Amino acid sequence: MRINMTYTNGFITSADFSPKIGQDVFGEGPFEGIYRSRLTADCDTVEFQFQIGEISWTTKDGGERSYTPDGGRITSDGREIWFEIKAHESYFQLPETADLLAQAELVLAEHGIELETVDGSKLLEDPERMRRVTEVLRFRNVPYDDADVAKAHALILQHDGRAPLGRITSILSNNRLRGAAMANAMLLRRDIGFHLDAAITPDTTVHIPLRPTRRLTRTDG
């Protein structure tokens, strides 16, 4: 794993604790920080890591190449995806970058890993979603216990796997604001799941997140 946190960098570096994976996550540049927040709050992301590792391979003409992606993630349906983040889609179209990523995609596919390119500029196109993500992250340290999780899961099962968020918050606490805060904390730890791609209302559907057995591959060489 590569961690580059110094006072001499000519670019933005950042670190933030992710309750989803239970550790600090380091990022380089402005868009890795945004994507880190997205992944932490995304109920369809089970696990993620930045600076995940390095792959190397021999080309057909005998050349040696290597690639270190920005990170990787596991989805709720069990897929493993490594990702590369650039400030704009045009960077992926540069011949050298496009060639490297095309070769890396083939190497990763041999291990059942997908390669995803992330256009950083598009992360800024939905400010309302980013506001919802930021709001949820405010409640990462709100406490709850196993009994609270059990109550939420029981209600979800009573509703055939999809319960309204308003009902969930009401059984977590008699105080509406505290109940909502607890639900947000549960989302960040994947004890419950709901999507942030639309406005959050009492009718937002809540489910019990899937927990696939696949874990992130960490490779060197």
Side-chain angles (χ1 to χ4, degrees), residues 43-44 76 149-163 168 186 190-194 205-212:
C43 66
D44 290 328
S76 58
V149 175
K151 288 190 294 185
H153 284 192
L155 182 62
I156 292 170
L157 294 174
Q158 289 173 16
H159 285 75
D160 296 324
R162 297 280 173 176
I168 296 291
M186 287 182 177
R190 299 198 78 252
D191 284 315
I192 61 173
F194 55 91
T205 57
V206 182
H207 62 276
I208 299 173
L210 296 174
R211 299 187 180 276

Side-chain angles (χ1 to χ4, degrees), residues 13-14 31 59 64 75 87 89 92 137 142 148 154 157 167 169 171 186 211 213 216 221:
T13 55
S14 62
F31 298 107
T59 62
E64 298 295 327
T75 64
E89 177 65 31
F92 294 115
L137 290 173
V142 171
D148 296 317
L157 294 174
R167 291 290 309 278
T169 59
I171 66 165
M186 287 182 177
R211 299 187 180 276
T213 57
L216 274 173

